[in-house]
């Protein structure tokens, strides 16, 4: 009770508000209010076989399952959410939405045998500048709900490639070739990996990660992202 009273007192001085809209948060809410989460344009891909995310990898790399939580749309809540997550220090958004997404993915049969959740890694220089990996925050939220460990030490970004934002499909693919590597090619042997990223655009970054992961014998890879462009 004392802890609750102290929390209420602190909220009077430093109100706990939604990162995106600035509205006061309820006690059970975290970084985002329920209304902002409700407004996110959900894809429902986890219920759709051969969905848009899955098709993006056809003929490129083998993916057991692929899904994205919501669509990225300019000028909407989805853009604001991702902007705060990636550039405004809103790392708790990633964990909260990871938990929301995890509740949906818990029902997916193809993911019942996942051994590790792996966030798409940042180069150490970018990590130092940003202070956190947004994909790792999403992975932490998923891990909390799915009860699967997050592994961040084996898949590494060994080359600091330039930003992908204004590049076309071929340029993105060319920009990510050889960027990722494994420190131990045996750790993921006979394992099913769930690779996690914030936004799926052309799939070039994810494809490069999967190519690195497939240096391990008999590894299976599934993929999820918060958003799909």
């Amino acid at each position: 009770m004392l802890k609750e009273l102290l929390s209420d007192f602190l909220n009077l001085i430093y109100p706990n508000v939604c990162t995106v809209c600035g509205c006061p948060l309820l006690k059970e809410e975290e970084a985002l209010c329920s209304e902002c989460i409700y407004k996110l344009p959900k894809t429902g891909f986890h219920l759709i076989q051969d969905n848009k995310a899955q098709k993006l990898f056809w003929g490129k790399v083998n993916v057991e399952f692929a899904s994205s939580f919501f669509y990225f749309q300019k000028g909407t809540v989805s853009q604001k959410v991702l902007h705060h997550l990636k550039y405004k220090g809103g790392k708790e958004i990633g964990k909260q939405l990871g938990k929301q997404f995890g509740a949906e993915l818990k029902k997916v049969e193809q993911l019942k045998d996942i051994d590790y959740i792996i966030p798409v890694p940042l180069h150490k220089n970018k990590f130092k500048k940003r202070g956190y990996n947004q994909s790792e925050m999403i992975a932490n939220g998923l891990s909390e709900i799915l009860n699967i460990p997050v592994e961040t030490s084996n898949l590494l970004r060994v080359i600091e490639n330039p930003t992908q934002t204004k590049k076309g499909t071929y340029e993105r693919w060319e920009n990510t070739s050889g960027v990722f590597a494994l420190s131990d090619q045996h750790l993921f042997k006979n394992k099913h990996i769930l690779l996690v990223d914030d936004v799926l655009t052309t799939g070039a970054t994810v494809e490069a990660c999967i190519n690195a992961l497939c240096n391990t014998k008999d590894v299976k890879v599934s993929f999820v992202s918060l958003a799909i462009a």
Side-chain angles (χ1 to χ4, degrees):
M1 185 179 288
L2 184 61
K3 188 177 180 181
E4 195 171 324
L5 286 170
L6 181 59
S7 177
D8 290 341
F9 176 71
L10 288 173
N11 278 334
L12 286 173
I13 304 171
Y14 306 105
N16 196 15
V17 298
C18 176
T19 307
V20 172
C21 70
C23 290
L25 294 176
L26 301 176
K27 285 184 180 179
E28 64 272 14
E29 294 174 337
E30 296 177 46
L32 295 174
C33 68
S34 299
E35 186 173 351
C36 281
I37 294 173
Y38 176 77
K39 286 179 179 177
L40 290 171
K42 312 293 194 311
T43 67
F45 283 173
H46 64 293
L47 302 174
I48 304 170
Q49 191 173 8
D50 298 336
N51 61 62
K52 184 180 176 182
Q54 189 87 35
K55 288 179 179 179
L56 207 54
F57 302 106
W58 283 3
K60 299 175 184 176
V61 288
N62 186 33
V63 176
E64 303 291 322
F65 170 88
S67 183
S68 300
F69 190 29
F70 57 85
Y71 292 102
F72 171 81
Q73 296 173 344
K74 288 186 177 180
T76 68
V77 169
S78 63
Q79 184 180 23
K80 292 177 182 177
V81 163
L82 290 169
H83 186 75
H84 278 277
L85 169 61
K86 202 164 183 175
Y87 304 113
K88 295 289 186 179
K91 60 182 182 179
E92 289 305 317
I93 292 174
K95 186 174 181 181
Q96 184 184 6
L97 290 179
K99 290 196 290 186
Q100 294 274 336
F101 196 16
E104 294 189 357
L105 296 176
K106 204 168 186 178
K107 308 164 191 173
V108 177
E109 283 298 320
Q110 296 102 307
L111 301 181
K112 297 292 185 185
D113 64 340
I114 294 290
D115 296 290
Y116 295 110
I117 298 174
I118 300 179
V120 170
L122 289 180
H123 189 271
K124 59 183 180 181
N125 292 341
K126 186 169 282 188
F127 185 92
K128 187 176 179 180
K129 183 179 178 181
R130 187 172 294 166
Y132 62 95
N133 178 355
Q134 70 277 4
S135 297
E136 186 176 344
M137 298 307 297
I138 299 162
N140 289 340
L142 290 168
S143 175
E144 193 169 319
I145 300 302
L146 300 176
N147 198 29
I148 299 167
V150 175
E151 212 294 320
T152 60
S153 63
N154 198 28
L155 179 65
L156 306 174
R157 189 183 289 254
V158 292
I159 299 174
E160 186 180 14
N161 56 329
T163 180
Q164 300 270 70
T165 307
K166 296 183 179 180
K167 295 184 182 295
T169 303
Y170 179 76
E171 288 177 306
R172 284 173 181 258
W173 176 83
E174 193 175 40
N175 194 40
T176 55
S177 180
V179 165
F180 301 97
L182 294 177
S183 60
D184 180 355
Q185 294 189 3
H186 302 289
L187 180 63
F188 299 146
K189 184 180 178 181
N190 297 316
K191 304 296 183 185
H192 189 178
I193 304 303
L194 181 61
L195 188 64
V196 179
D197 206 0
D198 55 350
V199 185
L200 177 62
T201 307
T202 65
T205 299
V206 179
E207 184 182 340
C209 284
I210 294 171
N211 283 331
L213 288 167
C214 285
N215 285 320
T216 294
K217 188 178 178 181
D218 297 325
V219 68
K220 294 193 300 180
V221 182
S222 290
F223 170 77
V224 296
S225 65
L226 269 192
I228 183 168

